[in-house]
Amino acid sequence: MQQRLLSLMLAALLSPSAMAGGLALYETSTANSALANAGSAARAQGADTIASNPAGMTKLEGTQLQVNGGVVYGDLELDLDNGGNNGGNALQTAPLGSLYLTHAIDDQWVAGIGVFGSHGLGIDYGDGWDGRGYTQSAKLTGIAFAPSLAYRIDSNWSVGASLIAMNGSLEASVDLTSGMGEGREFSNSDWAYGASFGVLYELDQHSRIGLSYFSELKWELEDQLFPRADVAGLGVEIMIPQTITLSGYHQLNDQWALLASANWQQWSRFGDIGVASAMGSQTIDMNYKDTWHASLGAQVDVTPALRLSSGIGYDSSAVSDEYRTVMLPVGSGWRWGLGASYQLSPATKVEASYTLAWLGDMPVDQDGIGRPHLSGSYNNSYLNFFNIGVQHQF
């Protein structure tokens, strides 16, 4: 039981995008946030294509630098069926940031590097809340480094690849009320390694299709939570899921462009948690399932310098209502984005965007050994993402 309690607590908090509404964080740049991920693998309008489809770098000229920064906050408050201390709004305000740099080596080869992710995203129910035996607080700081290379095969086809090195550190606490001690804290960090691959096909100068793949990553965390118990040195293996994204971009005329995306994420692998301790090894099934995403967006050039963007997206839930926990209160979600970019000079563009991630109502009903029954609902849950960015071509 000790193994299961601690492994579930850690597993639920290790995903770098876990508190982003669905289970995927699409706000890797200001432009992508404005479009709710629509056209992400086909847009190729800036160096941020490294995060969504490295093949898109072949559309970029010279040397380009893109810097984005922002903040995410919202409301995630559990209304308990029997009243009591619900911990208030558990969602913690957190910064967002990314940096991308690309350089066209010649007419065919483009190299780049991306640094992106969410920073300090966390959940905190506070002291004394009624579900403290399940989890109390956690904060994950994660950042991905992606050196990338793209090659233009001909006027229609381009390919690209990135090596992914993702570092994450976790600080978590839980109040164990079943005779195992008053409270425990966990703190550890690890590197996970993988790759992403992409293909971009340009039908003509107005239309293109992009397909990208992000490989599975594995986190391996370990800490001495119980120095005098047989679970000392508990090790937990978590799989961050592989993702496949298909996107399209079509320019209708000199002003309007339409964008769309669909993707699949293998969150069922995230739900299979490997646990090892002095008691042996096992795999714990958290009953997660794969998710699907779909989004549509549009861009309009109001003037030669001003472009407006908007998009709407939907993500299916990685967990059914019966398996949702207060450790990872997620469900299906809608995203609506709005943004603007302004060309300050031929070389410099500034951008701003806002995204609403609407989670709605998410019921929870939990029982645990040595812990009280906990039931209620996260009602009218949402997140706000604000981003600003600058693009400059040298």
Side-chain angles (χ1 to χ4, degrees):
M1 183 274 293
Q2 294 174 348
Q3 258 190 337
R4 182 175 179 83
L5 170 62
L6 293 172
S7 59
L8 286 178
M9 179 191 76
L10 298 178
L13 297 168
L14 282 178
S15 169
S17 57
M19 293 307 303
L23 282 175
L25 183 64
Y26 303 114
E27 289 71 23
T28 53
S29 71
T30 305
N32 211 53
S33 178
L35 290 163
N37 199 50
S40 60
R43 185 167 50 84
Q45 294 171 330
D48 60 322
T49 190
I50 289 174
S52 52
N53 185 355
M57 292 192 300
T58 61
K59 296 284 293 179
L60 308 179
E61 299 178 350
T63 299
Q64 299 202 16
L65 174 67
Q66 184 172 350
V67 180
N68 305 279
V71 64
V72 54
Y73 68 91
D75 186 84
L76 191 67
E77 184 170 350
L78 178 62
D79 294 329
L80 294 170
D81 291 339
N82 297 323
N85 187 345
N86 67 355
N89 180 14
L91 187 67
Q92 301 299 290
T93 299
L96 299 168
S98 59
L99 183 149
Y100 305 95
L101 179 66
T102 62
H103 175 68
I105 300 171
D106 55 32
D107 292 340
Q108 291 182 292
W109 291 94
V110 182
I113 185 169
V115 183
F116 56 93
S118 59
H119 308 277
L121 202 58
I123 188 169
D124 189 351
Y125 291 96
D127 295 331
W129 92 287
D130 287 3
R132 59 190 179 274
Y134 294 91
T135 192
Q136 191 160 338
S137 68
K139 179 180 178 180
L140 180 70
T141 302
I143 189 167
F145 299 84
S148 308
L149 190 64
Y151 176 73
R152 176 174 290 278
I153 299 173
D154 55 32
S155 59
N156 300 112
W157 291 93
S158 297
V159 294
S162 300
L163 297 177
I164 306 295
M166 185 178 293
N167 180 264
S169 61
L170 175 67
E171 299 174 7
S173 65
V174 63
D175 186 354
L176 304 175
T177 58
S178 58
M180 299 158 61
E182 294 181 355
R184 297 293 173 181
E185 295 184 353
F186 180 97
S187 179
N188 198 12
S189 63
D190 187 35
W191 284 90
Y193 300 96
S196 66
F197 306 93
V199 176
L200 186 69
Y201 178 71
E202 300 176 64
L203 287 77
D204 52 42
Q205 61 179 339
H206 303 298
S207 305
R208 49 188 177 268
I209 298 172
L211 179 66
S212 65
Y213 170 77
F214 196 99
S215 73
E216 184 176 83
L217 301 176
K218 182 170 70 173
W219 301 87
E220 296 181 344
L221 302 181
E222 185 175 349
D223 199 9
Q224 299 289 109
L225 292 182
F226 295 92
R228 294 180 299 275
D230 57 5
V231 292
L234 178 70
V236 182
E237 291 186 355
I238 311 293
M239 298 297 182
I240 305 302
Q242 59 182 332
T243 302
I244 299 175
T245 302
L246 177 66
S247 300
Y249 171 92
H250 177 64
Q251 187 174 341
L252 293 173
N253 51 42
D254 292 340
Q255 285 187 293
W256 286 90
L258 298 178
L259 306 93
S261 285
N263 77 31
W264 164 82
Q265 300 171 40
Q266 196 180 17
W267 282 102
S268 57
R269 285 281 286 159
F270 172 82
D272 293 333
I273 312 301
V275 182
S277 72
M279 299 169 62
S281 300
Q282 62 174 309
T283 298
I284 296 175
D285 184 5
M286 293 177 62
N287 297 297
Y288 273 62
K289 54 188 178 182
D290 299 346
T291 63
W292 294 89
H293 163 86
S295 54
L296 294 172
Q299 295 176 325
V300 56
D301 292 334
V302 180
T303 70
L306 177 63
R307 170 177 291 171
L308 301 180
S309 303
S310 185
I312 186 169
Y314 175 79
D315 284 271
S316 65
S317 178
V319 62
S320 302
D321 288 350
E322 62 182 307
Y323 297 118
R324 183 176 294 110
T325 71
V326 295
M327 294 174 285
L328 186 56
V330 296
S332 60
W334 287 90
R335 269 178 170 80
W336 174 73
L338 180 66
S341 64
Y342 188 80
Q343 198 76 41
L344 290 176
S345 70
T348 305
K349 178 192 296 185
V350 294
E351 301 174 303
S353 68
Y354 165 74
T355 301
L356 170 66
W358 181 257
L359 308 181
D361 300 340
M362 299 182 293
V364 171
D365 194 328
Q366 283 189 262
D367 278 306
I369 300 175
R371 292 168 289 170
H373 176 253
L374 192 68
S375 66
S377 179
Y378 297 89
N379 295 322
N380 300 318
S381 303
Y382 64 89
L383 294 93
N384 295 304
F385 295 86
F386 289 94
N387 279 281
I388 57 174
V390 178
Q391 296 188 43
H392 183 77
Q393 181 175 341
F394 297 93

PDB file of all heavy atoms in Angstrom, residues 45-77:
ATOM      1  N   GLN A  45       6.093  29.570 -39.776  1.00  0.00           N
ATOM      2  CA  GLN A  45       6.200  31.020 -39.960  1.00  0.00           C
ATOM      3  C   GLN A  45       7.222  31.662 -39.030  1.00  0.00           C
ATOM      4  O   GLN A  45       7.369  32.877 -39.023  1.00  0.00           O
ATOM      5  CB  GLN A  45       4.819  31.660 -39.733  1.00  0.00           C
ATOM      6  CG  GLN A  45       3.797  31.262 -40.781  1.00  0.00           C
ATOM      7  CD  GLN A  45       2.388  31.717 -40.437  1.00  0.00           C
ATOM      8  OE1 GLN A  45       2.035  31.824 -39.257  1.00  0.00           O
ATOM      9  NE2 GLN A  45       1.592  31.982 -41.463  1.00  0.00           N
ATOM     10  N   GLY A  46       7.910  30.829 -38.256  1.00  0.00           N
ATOM     11  CA  GLY A  46       8.916  31.348 -37.338  1.00  0.00           C
ATOM     12  C   GLY A  46       9.757  30.231 -36.784  1.00  0.00           C
ATOM     13  O   GLY A  46       9.494  29.037 -37.014  1.00  0.00           O
ATOM     14  N   ALA A  47      10.779  30.601 -36.021  1.00  0.00           N
ATOM     15  CA  ALA A  47      11.707  29.603 -35.485  1.00  0.00           C
ATOM     16  C   ALA A  47      11.049  28.658 -34.495  1.00  0.00           C
ATOM     17  O   ALA A  47      11.594  27.590 -34.197  1.00  0.00           O
ATOM     18  CB  ALA A  47      12.899  30.306 -34.831  1.00  0.00           C
ATOM     19  N   ASP A  48       9.845  29.009 -33.997  1.00  0.00           N
ATOM     20  CA  ASP A  48       9.144  28.117 -33.076  1.00  0.00           C
ATOM     21  C   ASP A  48       8.682  26.824 -33.727  1.00  0.00           C
ATOM     22  O   ASP A  48       8.216  25.911 -33.036  1.00  0.00           O
ATOM     23  CB  ASP A  48       7.950  28.826 -32.447  1.00  0.00           C
ATOM     24  CG  ASP A  48       6.932  29.294 -33.478  1.00  0.00           C
ATOM     25  OD1 ASP A  48       7.343  29.734 -34.566  1.00  0.00           O
ATOM     26  OD2 ASP A  48       5.724  29.227 -33.201  1.00  0.00           O
ATOM     27  N   THR A  49       8.834  26.704 -35.043  1.00  0.00           N
ATOM     28  CA  THR A  49       8.513  25.441 -35.718  1.00  0.00           C
ATOM     29  C   THR A  49       9.383  24.298 -35.200  1.00  0.00           C
ATOM     30  O   THR A  49       9.032  23.126 -35.368  1.00  0.00           O
ATOM     31  CB  THR A  49       8.670  25.595 -37.241  1.00  0.00           C
ATOM     32  OG1 THR A  49       8.136  24.430 -37.893  1.00  0.00           O
ATOM     33  CG2 THR A  49      10.129  25.752 -37.641  1.00  0.00           C
ATOM     34  N   ILE A  50      10.501  24.619 -34.551  1.00  0.00           N
ATOM     35  CA  ILE A  50      11.352  23.584 -33.950  1.00  0.00           C
ATOM     36  C   ILE A  50      10.552  22.720 -32.981  1.00  0.00           C
ATOM     37  O   ILE A  50      10.720  21.499 -32.929  1.00  0.00           O
ATOM     38  CB  ILE A  50      12.550  24.226 -33.234  1.00  0.00           C
ATOM     39  CG1 ILE A  50      13.530  24.814 -34.249  1.00  0.00           C
ATOM     40  CG2 ILE A  50      13.262  23.212 -32.339  1.00  0.00           C
ATOM     41  CD1 ILE A  50      14.665  25.604 -33.615  1.00  0.00           C
ATOM     42  N   ALA A  51       9.644  23.333 -32.207  1.00  0.00           N
ATOM     43  CA  ALA A  51       8.885  22.601 -31.199  1.00  0.00           C
ATOM     44  C   ALA A  51       7.776  21.755 -31.795  1.00  0.00           C
ATOM     45  O   ALA A  51       7.345  20.778 -31.174  1.00  0.00           O
ATOM     46  CB  ALA A  51       8.287  23.576 -30.180  1.00  0.00           C
ATOM     47  N   SER A  52       7.297  22.090 -32.994  1.00  0.00           N
ATOM     48  CA  SER A  52       6.148  21.385 -33.561  1.00  0.00           C
ATOM     49  C   SER A  52       6.481  20.559 -34.795  1.00  0.00           C
ATOM     50  O   SER A  52       5.889  19.507 -35.010  1.00  0.00           O
ATOM     51  CB  SER A  52       5.039  22.386 -33.905  1.00  0.00           C
ATOM     52  OG  SER A  52       5.546  23.437 -34.714  1.00  0.00           O
ATOM     53  N   ASN A  53       7.421  21.025 -35.622  1.00  0.00           N
ATOM     54  CA  ASN A  53       7.859  20.279 -36.799  1.00  0.00           C
ATOM     55  C   ASN A  53       9.170  20.865 -37.293  1.00  0.00           C
ATOM     56  O   ASN A  53       9.181  21.894 -37.981  1.00  0.00           O
ATOM     57  CB  ASN A  53       6.821  20.327 -37.912  1.00  0.00           C
ATOM     58  CG  ASN A  53       7.204  19.458 -39.113  1.00  0.00           C
ATOM     59  OD1 ASN A  53       8.297  18.884 -39.150  1.00  0.00           O
ATOM     60  ND2 ASN A  53       6.328  19.357 -40.090  1.00  0.00           N
ATOM     61  N   PRO A  54      10.307  20.233 -36.975  1.00  0.00           N
ATOM     62  CA  PRO A  54      11.606  20.796 -37.364  1.00  0.00           C
ATOM     63  C   PRO A  54      11.784  20.927 -38.877  1.00  0.00           C
ATOM     64  O   PRO A  54      12.594  21.743 -39.329  1.00  0.00           O
ATOM     65  CB  PRO A  54      12.619  19.821 -36.759  1.00  0.00           C
ATOM     66  CG  PRO A  54      11.850  18.564 -36.512  1.00  0.00           C
ATOM     67  CD  PRO A  54      10.458  18.986 -36.204  1.00  0.00           C
ATOM     68  N   ALA A  55      11.027  20.169 -39.670  1.00  0.00           N
ATOM     69  CA  ALA A  55      11.137  20.290 -41.120  1.00  0.00           C
ATOM     70  C   ALA A  55      10.730  21.674 -41.603  1.00  0.00           C
ATOM     71  O   ALA A  55      11.169  22.143 -42.658  1.00  0.00           O
ATOM     72  CB  ALA A  55      10.272  19.224 -41.807  1.00  0.00           C
ATOM     73  N   GLY A  56       9.895  22.365 -40.836  1.00  0.00           N
ATOM     74  CA  GLY A  56       9.446  23.700 -41.206  1.00  0.00           C
ATOM     75  C   GLY A  56      10.555  24.738 -41.221  1.00  0.00           C
ATOM     76  O   GLY A  56      10.358  25.839 -41.761  1.00  0.00           O
ATOM     77  N   MET A  57      11.717  24.417 -40.660  1.00  0.00           N
ATOM     78  CA  MET A  57      12.829  25.370 -40.669  1.00  0.00           C
ATOM     79  C   MET A  57      13.287  25.715 -42.085  1.00  0.00           C
ATOM     80  O   MET A  57      13.880  26.777 -42.302  1.00  0.00           O
ATOM     81  CB  MET A  57      14.009  24.822 -39.858  1.00  0.00           C
ATOM     82  CG  MET A  57      13.765  24.728 -38.367  1.00  0.00           C
ATOM     83  SD  MET A  57      15.287  24.404 -37.423  1.00  0.00           S
ATOM     84  CE  MET A  57      15.805  22.824 -38.116  1.00  0.00           C
ATOM     85  N   THR A  58      13.035  24.847 -43.062  1.00  0.00           N
ATOM     86  CA  THR A  58      13.460  25.132 -44.436  1.00  0.00           C
ATOM     87  C   THR A  58      12.691  26.301 -45.043  1.00  0.00           C
ATOM     88  O   THR A  58      13.079  26.807 -46.103  1.00  0.00           O
ATOM     89  CB  THR A  58      13.292  23.894 -45.332  1.00  0.00           C
ATOM     90  OG1 THR A  58      11.904  23.510 -45.378  1.00  0.00           O
ATOM     91  CG2 THR A  58      14.121  22.730 -44.820  1.00  0.00           C
ATOM     92  N   LYS A  59      11.620  26.757 -44.394  1.00  0.00           N
ATOM     93  CA  LYS A  59      10.863  27.919 -44.859  1.00  0.00           C
ATOM     94  C   LYS A  59      11.461  29.230 -44.349  1.00  0.00           C
ATOM     95  O   LYS A  59      10.999  30.314 -44.741  1.00  0.00           O
ATOM     96  CB  LYS A  59       9.411  27.815 -44.395  1.00  0.00           C
ATOM     97  CG  LYS A  59       8.625  26.648 -44.956  1.00  0.00           C
ATOM     98  CD  LYS A  59       8.231  26.908 -46.397  1.00  0.00           C
ATOM     99  CE  LYS A  59       7.232  28.045 -46.498  1.00  0.00           C
ATOM    100  NZ  LYS A  59       6.868  28.329 -47.908  1.00  0.00           N
ATOM    101  N   LEU A  60      12.473  29.152 -43.493  1.00  0.00           N
ATOM    102  CA  LEU A  60      13.032  30.339 -42.852  1.00  0.00           C
ATOM    103  C   LEU A  60      14.339  30.753 -43.519  1.00  0.00           C
ATOM    104  O   LEU A  60      15.180  29.913 -43.828  1.00  0.00           O
ATOM    105  CB  LEU A  60      13.264  30.073 -41.366  1.00  0.00           C
ATOM    106  CG  LEU A  60      12.063  29.516 -40.593  1.00  0.00           C
ATOM    107  CD1 LEU A  60      12.441  29.278 -39.136  1.00  0.00           C
ATOM    108  CD2 LEU A  60      10.870  30.455 -40.691  1.00  0.00           C
ATOM    109  N   GLU A  61      14.503  32.043 -43.691  1.00  0.00           N
ATOM    110  CA  GLU A  61      15.691  32.581 -44.341  1.00  0.00           C
ATOM    111  C   GLU A  61      16.651  33.182 -43.322  1.00  0.00           C
ATOM    112  O   GLU A  61      16.237  33.612 -42.237  1.00  0.00           O
ATOM    113  CB  GLU A  61      15.298  33.650 -45.360  1.00  0.00           C
ATOM    114  CG  GLU A  61      14.407  33.144 -46.486  1.00  0.00           C
ATOM    115  CD  GLU A  61      14.002  34.250 -47.438  1.00  0.00           C
ATOM    116  OE1 GLU A  61      14.264  35.437 -47.110  1.00  0.00           O
ATOM    117  OE2 GLU A  61      13.426  33.944 -48.502  1.00  0.00           O
ATOM    118  N   GLY A  62      17.934  33.224 -43.673  1.00  0.00           N
ATOM    119  CA  GLY A  62      18.931  33.868 -42.833  1.00  0.00           C
ATOM    120  C   GLY A  62      19.026  33.266 -41.453  1.00  0.00           C
ATOM    121  O   GLY A  62      18.855  32.058 -41.249  1.00  0.00           O
ATOM    122  N   THR A  63      19.268  34.133 -40.478  1.00  0.00           N
ATOM    123  CA  THR A  63      19.331  33.728 -39.074  1.00  0.00           C
ATOM    124  C   THR A  63      18.159  34.365 -38.341  1.00  0.00           C
ATOM    125  O   THR A  63      17.977  35.582 -38.406  1.00  0.00           O
ATOM    126  CB  THR A  63      20.643  34.173 -38.425  1.00  0.00           C
ATOM    127  OG1 THR A  63      21.747  33.569 -39.113  1.00  0.00           O
ATOM    128  CG2 THR A  63      20.696  33.767 -36.954  1.00  0.00           C
ATOM    129  N   GLN A  64      17.364  33.546 -37.659  1.00  0.00           N
ATOM    130  CA  GLN A  64      16.168  34.053 -37.005  1.00  0.00           C
ATOM    131  C   GLN A  64      16.174  33.694 -35.523  1.00  0.00           C
ATOM    132  O   GLN A  64      16.477  32.560 -35.147  1.00  0.00           O
ATOM    133  CB  GLN A  64      14.908  33.509 -37.673  1.00  0.00           C
ATOM    134  CG  GLN A  64      14.792  33.910 -39.146  1.00  0.00           C
ATOM    135  CD  GLN A  64      13.370  33.841 -39.664  1.00  0.00           C
ATOM    136  OE1 GLN A  64      12.409  33.773 -38.909  1.00  0.00           O
ATOM    137  NE2 GLN A  64      13.246  33.866 -40.997  1.00  0.00           N
ATOM    138  N   LEU A  65      15.806  34.681 -34.714  1.00  0.00           N
ATOM    139  CA  LEU A  65      15.727  34.515 -33.267  1.00  0.00           C
ATOM    140  C   LEU A  65      14.304  34.806 -32.825  1.00  0.00           C
ATOM    141  O   LEU A  65      13.703  35.800 -33.246  1.00  0.00           O
ATOM    142  CB  LEU A  65      16.694  35.466 -32.564  1.00  0.00           C
ATOM    143  CG  LEU A  65      16.625  35.508 -31.029  1.00  0.00           C
ATOM    144  CD1 LEU A  65      17.089  34.188 -30.429  1.00  0.00           C
ATOM    145  CD2 LEU A  65      17.456  36.670 -30.491  1.00  0.00           C
ATOM    146  N   GLN A  66      13.769  33.941 -31.969  1.00  0.00           N
ATOM    147  CA  GLN A  66      12.424  34.136 -31.441  1.00  0.00           C
ATOM    148  C   GLN A  66      12.440  33.911 -29.933  1.00  0.00           C
ATOM    149  O   GLN A  66      12.920  32.881 -29.450  1.00  0.00           O
ATOM    150  CB  GLN A  66      11.431  33.185 -32.110  1.00  0.00           C
ATOM    151  CG  GLN A  66       9.992  33.394 -31.685  1.00  0.00           C
ATOM    152  CD  GLN A  66       9.024  32.565 -32.512  1.00  0.00           C
ATOM    153  OE1 GLN A  66       9.391  31.974 -33.522  1.00  0.00           O
ATOM    154  NE2 GLN A  66       7.777  32.511 -32.085  1.00  0.00           N
ATOM    155  N   VAL A  67      11.899  34.870 -29.194  1.00  0.00           N
ATOM    156  CA  VAL A  67      11.840  34.797 -27.733  1.00  0.00           C
ATOM    157  C   VAL A  67      10.397  35.008 -27.301  1.00  0.00           C
ATOM    158  O   VAL A  67       9.731  35.946 -27.769  1.00  0.00           O
ATOM    159  CB  VAL A  67      12.745  35.858 -27.071  1.00  0.00           C
ATOM    160  CG1 VAL A  67      12.664  35.743 -25.549  1.00  0.00           C
ATOM    161  CG2 VAL A  67      14.183  35.709 -27.546  1.00  0.00           C
ATOM    162  N   ASN A  68       9.895  34.139 -26.424  1.00  0.00           N
ATOM    163  CA  ASN A  68       8.516  34.223 -25.935  1.00  0.00           C
ATOM    164  C   ASN A  68       8.498  34.128 -24.420  1.00  0.00           C
ATOM    165  O   ASN A  68       9.302  33.405 -23.818  1.00  0.00           O
ATOM    166  CB  ASN A  68       7.661  33.078 -26.502  1.00  0.00           C
ATOM    167  CG  ASN A  68       7.684  33.023 -28.016  1.00  0.00           C
ATOM    168  OD1 ASN A  68       6.990  33.754 -28.690  1.00  0.00           O
ATOM    169  ND2 ASN A  68       8.515  32.127 -28.553  1.00  0.00           N
ATOM    170  N   GLY A  69       7.575  34.855 -23.810  1.00  0.00           N
ATOM    171  CA  GLY A  69       7.409  34.784 -22.363  1.00  0.00           C
ATOM    172  C   GLY A  69       5.966  35.022 -21.988  1.00  0.00           C
ATOM    173  O   GLY A  69       5.217  35.672 -22.730  1.00  0.00           O
ATOM    174  N   GLY A  70       5.562  34.468 -20.850  1.00  0.00           N
ATOM    175  CA  GLY A  70       4.170  34.641 -20.464  1.00  0.00           C
ATOM    176  C   GLY A  70       3.881  34.089 -19.088  1.00  0.00           C
ATOM    177  O   GLY A  70       4.789  33.776 -18.306  1.00  0.00           O
ATOM    178  N   VAL A  71       2.592  33.934 -18.820  1.00  0.00           N
ATOM    179  CA  VAL A  71       2.149  33.470 -17.510  1.00  0.00           C
ATOM    180  C   VAL A  71       0.868  32.665 -17.688  1.00  0.00           C
ATOM    181  O   VAL A  71       0.092  32.900 -18.630  1.00  0.00           O
ATOM    182  CB  VAL A  71       1.904  34.667 -16.561  1.00  0.00           C
ATOM    183  CG1 VAL A  71       0.765  35.546 -17.057  1.00  0.00           C
ATOM    184  CG2 VAL A  71       1.660  34.208 -15.131  1.00  0.00           C
ATOM    185  N   VAL A  72       0.668  31.677 -16.810  1.00  0.00           N
ATOM    186  CA  VAL A  72      -0.560  30.889 -16.801  1.00  0.00           C
ATOM    187  C   VAL A  72      -1.144  30.909 -15.394  1.00  0.00           C
ATOM    188  O   VAL A  72      -0.415  30.770 -14.410  1.00  0.00           O
ATOM    189  CB  VAL A  72      -0.310  29.431 -17.261  1.00  0.00           C
ATOM    190  CG1 VAL A  72       0.795  28.764 -16.464  1.00  0.00           C
ATOM    191  CG2 VAL A  72      -1.599  28.609 -17.164  1.00  0.00           C
ATOM    192  N   TYR A  73      -2.441  31.146 -15.313  1.00  0.00           N
ATOM    193  CA  TYR A  73      -3.144  31.072 -14.035  1.00  0.00           C
ATOM    194  C   TYR A  73      -4.591  30.704 -14.316  1.00  0.00           C
ATOM    195  O   TYR A  73      -5.048  30.726 -15.467  1.00  0.00           O
ATOM    196  CB  TYR A  73      -3.061  32.411 -13.282  1.00  0.00           C
ATOM    197  CG  TYR A  73      -3.831  33.538 -13.929  1.00  0.00           C
ATOM    198  CD1 TYR A  73      -5.161  33.797 -13.586  1.00  0.00           C
ATOM    199  CD2 TYR A  73      -3.229  34.346 -14.875  1.00  0.00           C
ATOM    200  CE1 TYR A  73      -5.864  34.829 -14.182  1.00  0.00           C
ATOM    201  CE2 TYR A  73      -3.927  35.377 -15.485  1.00  0.00           C
ATOM    202  CZ  TYR A  73      -5.246  35.619 -15.133  1.00  0.00           C
ATOM    203  OH  TYR A  73      -5.940  36.627 -15.730  1.00  0.00           O
ATOM    204  N   GLY A  74      -5.322  30.341 -13.301  1.00  0.00           N
ATOM    205  CA  GLY A  74      -6.709  29.957 -13.521  1.00  0.00           C
ATOM    206  C   GLY A  74      -7.387  29.561 -12.229  1.00  0.00           C
ATOM    207  O   GLY A  74      -6.991  29.983 -11.136  1.00  0.00           O
ATOM    208  N   ASP A  75      -8.404  28.708 -12.350  1.00  0.00           N
ATOM    209  CA  ASP A  75      -9.183  28.291 -11.188  1.00  0.00           C
ATOM    210  C   ASP A  75      -9.378  26.780 -11.224  1.00  0.00           C
ATOM    211  O   ASP A  75      -9.856  26.227 -12.221  1.00  0.00           O
ATOM    212  CB  ASP A  75     -10.548  28.979 -11.168  1.00  0.00           C
ATOM    213  CG  ASP A  75     -11.314  28.672  -9.883  1.00  0.00           C
ATOM    214  OD1 ASP A  75     -11.069  29.355  -8.877  1.00  0.00           O
ATOM    215  OD2 ASP A  75     -12.143  27.750  -9.902  1.00  0.00           O
ATOM    216  N   LEU A  76      -8.978  26.118 -10.150  1.00  0.00           N
ATOM    217  CA  LEU A  76      -9.127  24.673 -10.012  1.00  0.00           C
ATOM    218  C   LEU A  76      -9.464  24.399  -8.546  1.00  0.00           C
ATOM    219  O   LEU A  76      -8.598  24.108  -7.727  1.00  0.00           O
ATOM    220  CB  LEU A  76      -7.837  23.956 -10.417  1.00  0.00           C
ATOM    221  CG  LEU A  76      -7.912  22.441 -10.580  1.00  0.00           C
ATOM    222  CD1 LEU A  76      -8.781  22.070 -11.771  1.00  0.00           C
ATOM    223  CD2 LEU A  76      -6.519  21.858 -10.751  1.00  0.00           C
ATOM    224  N   GLU A  77     -10.743  24.514  -8.219  1.00  0.00           N
ATOM    225  CA  GLU A  77     -11.188  24.394  -6.834  1.00  0.00           C
ATOM    226  C   GLU A  77     -12.191  23.258  -6.701  1.00  0.00           C
ATOM    227  O   GLU A  77     -13.168  23.191  -7.450  1.00  0.00           O
ATOM    228  CB  GLU A  77     -11.808  25.703  -6.361  1.00  0.00           C
ATOM    229  CG  GLU A  77     -12.217  25.689  -4.897  1.00  0.00           C
ATOM    230  CD  GLU A  77     -12.607  27.059  -4.386  1.00  0.00           C
ATOM    231  OE1 GLU A  77     -12.376  28.050  -5.109  1.00  0.00           O
ATOM    232  OE2 GLU A  77     -13.149  27.132  -3.265  1.00  0.00           O
TER     233      GLU A  77
END
